[in-house]
Amino acid sequence: MRHILRPTALCLALAMTDPVTAAPAADTLYLNARIYTADAARTEASAVAIHGNTIAYVGDEKGAAQWRGPGTRVVDLDGKLVLPGLIDAHVHALGVVQPDVCDLKSQGMSLAVMVDFLRACLAEHPLPAGEWMMVPQWNFSMGNEPDARYPTLRAALDAVSTEHPIMLRGNDGHHGAANSLALSRARGPDGKVIGYSRQTLAKEFSDIRALVAVDAAGEPSGGITEGAKGRLGAPGFFGTDDFTEVVPKAAQVFREQGITSILDAAVDPSQLVFWRGLEDKGGMTFRMRAALIRRFDDPSARPTQAQIPEVVKEFVSARERMERESKLIRASHVKMFVDGVLEGNPYADPPTLPNGAVLKPYLQPRFAGTPGGEDFHVSGYVDPADPACAQAPAARMDHPATERFRDAHGFDPAQCLQSSGVLEQTEEYLHAYESAMARAGFAVHTHAIGDRSVRVAIGMLEEAKRLNPDAQHSMAHAQLISPEDQARIGKAGLGVVFTHAWTVVNPPYDFSVIPFFERIDGKDLYRDGYYMRNVYPTAAIARLGGIVASGSDAPVEERNPRPFHNLEQALTRANPDPAIPGVLNAAERLDIHQAIASYTINAARVLGMEKEIGSIEPGKKADLIVVDQDVLALAAHGEERKIGDTRVLRTIFDGREVFSRE
């Protein structure tokens, strides 16, 4: 339903122009527009007046005339849609800029094609012998099909170079792949270099064994995730410690996309100085809430439980410094990783299990056919209760025994093992860290993917809310949430930040997840079951009382934050390619009002800024955008698939126009 500005609101706005208490004339009037305010009543108006950095009036042209003075700039928007400035509630701002390096750009490649690509890239970007070759934006869930020459990621990367340690950084920030030279540099608990091998994984690295993919011989096959990556001593996630040239480019990306506020979801305090430098130069065209974390790029180097008070002191100092020095930056949040991710590797032999923390053990699917081919399918499942599995521990003792087991039973003895994934830290540590930060006045923002991880995160955030009720505590991603925990999120009024671009039917990706949760017959991935009923339950969270916000998580999957693509996917939950049928958990589609709220007023709540931004209302900051398509009309007429094509024509931040295509 379209709401027109209520008479009471209009009278209030006009009363502000009474000659006795007349306000100064507006600096800018935007007229003849469809202004979607995103206020509680979803009010619409046709005119807005801006005075300084504040919205002075919202209503119709007649009322706006009262704000016109001799120096007022008047802009006729010719009926175009105006929205509040968009708020990305989970993004990694330094990663939205494309670096000049060898970059796989999330393209799905077979291992053979990847070898050729990386060889050519190394020739174009030559490195001194022994120097790391770091390759970002590797698509871990599409492509990577092995063949006889390159049966594993390790073999493929060894074919690229044996002179350089090579690290592929997954486009999700969690997966990685390494060649033999890189794997040989793994440091043990005492800091000595001992390398990843069958022997060290059974002994020194037994605590992270699940994070290192292995082949049929039990040797590392190249895949590494989470903290296992940090043991290699590779350069940091961003490849540099100097972001002077990066930050103005990131600001440009945001204003071109209509993003006027962000929650930067993992900020080392040392990085704040670069944003402050940009602000001092007048180039900071968005508001920033920083979620602080030590060493985002190296989970193995994160503080011990005994070091938590030291970290609290460091973070409080950073927060106080931003409060003194900055108008636009606040170090108000802390970031916590509760678990990893839910993707396994069906092409590995044996298949690599996901590592995200889940309530029930992962299934052990068996795959057959040509990897990546039309005939690739689930051929069956290994039952841990199979009598053969009683022999599995002995069979894993050495390679010949493993081969004898495989010859006798047709599957690897490792598939007899049961795993429910892992938490990033013990629950004791997670609660100690969360409670210390909440007591210190921070809002807690967690990464939680699996349903067990989400359950742990809810307990943490409920506790944080008791300790610091003035902050809006939140989690991000929440790929799988049990019905019980969906209700808990609603009851506690927690914020959940979803990346709607991921709520999509994507068979290559889904093959790396769903068979580990549901007993799939052949290629029928999308059968009704626990996973399909509870994957990204956005509408349920909103209905039950949770705060559904949007975050791109850029550069994960895509460096571009692409807010309108995310808005489209929130409504459709279908693949943008019409040739790929199906809807992912169709009951969880949002309507257009909920989707816009997730990028505006709800995201403002997650940032703790709902009194300042998130809607177009008098007294709030003048952050708004003009777009070239009426997304509400598109949704009303069943043309949701066009929403992703929307372009921002103007971005107004803090009362000034910082971007224009017109």
Side-chain angles (χ1 to χ4, degrees), residues 67 86 128 234 261 550:
W67 292 86
L86 302 180
S261 294
S550 289

Side-chain angles (χ1 to χ4, degrees), residues 17 27 38 83 101 144 169-170 196 221 228 255 258 277 283 369 372 374 470 589 634:
T17 66
D27 296 305
L83 297 170
V101 297
N144 305 301
R169 288 200 178 275
Y196 288 133
S221 58
R255 58 180 172 263
E374 288 294 324
D470 295 331
R589 289 176 289 198
L634 291 175

Side-chain angles (χ1 to χ4, degrees), residues 72-148:
T72 300
R73 174 174 173 252
V74 180
V75 182
D76 186 325
L77 292 179
D78 193 28
K80 292 186 174 63
L81 180 66
V82 177
L83 297 170
L86 302 180
I87 303 167
D88 194 323
H90 187 101
V91 65
H92 303 284
L94 295 173
V96 303
V97 178
Q98 177 65 52
D100 184 22
V101 297
C102 181
D103 191 326
L104 289 169
K105 298 183 179 180
S106 295
Q107 299 177 64
M109 301 179 182
S110 68
L111 294 185
V113 171
M114 186 189 299
V115 168
D116 291 342
F117 178 90
L118 293 179
R119 283 173 174 168
C121 196
L122 185 57
E124 183 179 349
H125 299 273
L127 299 168
E131 187 169 319
W132 279 90
M133 181 181 183
M134 303 298 297
V135 185
Q137 298 300 92
W138 166 52
N139 194 327
F140 64 94
S141 64
M142 292 183 65
N144 305 301
E145 297 91 351
D147 59 24

Side-chain angles (χ1 to χ4, degrees), residues 346 365 367 376-378 381 504-533 535 580-581 583-584:
F367 297 93
F376 192 71
H377 64 284
V378 177
Y381 284 82
V504 55
V505 169
N506 182 352
Y509 171 84
D510 294 335
F511 230 93
S512 73
V513 178
I514 298 176
F516 298 98
F517 286 91
E518 308 289 352
R519 291 188 175 274
I520 302 303
D521 182 12
K523 300 188 71 174
D524 182 22
L525 284 173
Y526 302 108
R527 61 181 291 271
D528 181 48
Y530 177 80
Y531 182 85
M532 284 297 290
R533 289 194 296 268
V535 59
I580 300 176
V583 176
L584 189 75

Side-chain angles (χ1 to χ4, degrees), residues 287-551:
R287 306 177 200 281
M288 176 177 171
R289 293 296 182 264
L292 300 177
I293 188 171
R294 261 193 187 179
R295 299 294 300 273
F296 162 61
D297 55 358
D298 187 359
S300 67
R302 291 189 189 145
T304 65
Q305 190 163 335
Q307 293 171 322
I308 291 174
E310 168 193 326
V311 180
V312 171
K313 184 177 179 180
E314 176 188 355
F315 287 4
V316 168
S317 176
R319 182 178 66 196
E320 291 175 348
R321 189 169 65 252
M322 291 303 102
E323 289 172 350
R324 288 193 309 269
E325 300 176 1
S326 176
K327 294 182 179 179
L328 301 175
I329 306 165
R330 291 290 180 269
S332 52
H333 291 58
V334 293
K335 173 66 175 292
M336 298 181 66
F337 284 91
V338 182
D339 72 341
V341 287
L342 292 188
E343 301 86 24
N345 184 356
Y347 299 153
D349 184 19
T352 306
L353 292 178
N355 62 60
V358 289
L359 294 171
K360 292 184 178 180
Y362 290 109
L363 301 177
Q364 287 278 10
R366 299 170 63 184
F367 297 93
T370 305
E374 288 294 324
D375 63 334
F376 192 71
H377 64 284
V378 177
S379 61
Y381 284 82
V382 174
D383 183 356
D386 188 318
C389 284
Q391 308 168 32
R396 293 296 294 169
M397 293 300 294
D398 57 59
H399 183 46
T402 297
E403 287 303 301
R404 289 193 296 272
F405 185 98
R406 290 167 64 96
D407 289 342
H409 303 292
F411 59 89
D412 193 284
Q415 290 201 271
C416 290
L417 304 178
Q418 288 190 300
S419 171
S420 297
V422 294
L423 298 171
E424 280 282 312
Q425 303 280 356
T426 66
E427 288 194 52
E428 178 188 7
Y429 177 96
L430 292 168
H431 279 280
Y433 194 97
E434 158 270 312
S435 61
M437 292 299 175
R439 286 191 182 97
F442 290 98
V444 177
H445 183 66
T446 68
H447 163 115
I449 294 281
D451 51 6
R452 180 161 66 99
S453 170
V454 168
R455 180 164 294 179
V456 170
I458 293 170
M460 293 163 54
L461 299 180
E462 288 173 335
E463 184 176 32
K465 189 172 183 179
R466 288 193 296 271
L467 296 171
N468 182 10
D470 295 331
Q472 178 59 61
H473 306 286
S474 58
M475 72 178 72
H477 313 317
Q479 185 168 348
L480 192 62
I481 313 178
S482 72
E484 174 187 346
D485 290 325
Q486 293 170 32
R488 284 180 65 195
I489 288 171
K491 183 178 180 180
L494 301 176
V496 185
V497 183
F498 292 100
T499 300
H500 302 294
W502 305 342
T503 63
V504 55
V505 169
N506 182 352
Y509 171 84
D510 294 335
F511 230 93
S512 73
V513 178
I514 298 176
F516 298 98
F517 286 91
E518 308 289 352
R519 291 188 175 274
I520 302 303
D521 182 12
K523 300 188 71 174
D524 182 22
L525 284 173
Y526 302 108
R527 61 181 291 271
D528 181 48
Y530 177 80
Y531 182 85
M532 284 297 290
R533 289 194 296 268
N534 296 291
V535 59
Y536 296 123
T538 53
I541 295 298
R543 182 179 67 254
L544 292 166
I547 300 169
V548 174
S550 289

